Amino acid sequence: MIEHLEKYALIKESQRGFVKDKSCLTNLLIFMEEVTSYTDSGFPVDVIYLDIQKAFDKVPHCQLISKLKAHGITGNIVRWIEHWLNGRKQRVVINGYLFEWINILSGVPQGSLLGPLLFVIYINDIDDYVGSRILKFADDTKIYNKVNSVEDIEIFANRLGSIDFMVKRMADVV
């Protein structure tokens, strides 16, 4: 899967987490270089930080599978991932009382090697909805823009509204 994603450059340049030759440090260096350039040129910068609470737990399996297929990951690999994700169950035990088992319809298994890669694929297209500069380290996202005018601030705010649906969709998943 990684070879396929690298060969066709499918993971957006903005993703700096869980990607070869990219890191939290390269994320910060790119951000600091661009913001410094803007401010040195006399422009203020608007920055918004997003951190989706329990993001790895909220990836809807059906949407993830669709995104895998859209990235050209098909055949036995996508079927294996579907089988790996489907059929998971969980239950709560409090003071010895066992609650009913429930099906898990979302989330990528944490502590696995595949989980972070699946999350990166799922969140990959957030760039398409922003229209501003964006840098991601897994689920931690910085969206920023230099400000030339009041109109720039309004455009930036409107673009952020366009990603609201994605964040809400993830927040609604249990």
Side-chain angles (χ1 to χ4, degrees), residues 1-7 10 68 73 77-78 80-81 114 117-118 121:
M1 258 181 23
I2 292 171
E3 287 176 13
H4 172 79
L5 294 169
E6 288 176 353
K7 179 180 178 180
L10 296 173
L68 288 169
I73 299 167
I77 293 175
V78 80
W80 180 83
I81 292 170
L114 191 54
L117 179 61
L118 294 175
I121 291 168

Side-chain angles (χ1 to χ4, degrees), residues 154-165:
E154 291 170 359
I155 290 168
F156 189 55
N158 289 334
R159 287 180 181 158
L160 290 175
S162 69
I163 65 165
D164 187 45
F165 83 96

Side-chain angles (χ1 to χ4, degrees), residues 88-100:
R88 293 177 178 269
K89 294 180 180 280
Q90 69 181 18
R91 72 174 172 182
V92 176
V93 178
I94 300 176
N95 293 330
Y97 179 78
L98 305 172
F99 287 84
E100 294 291 321

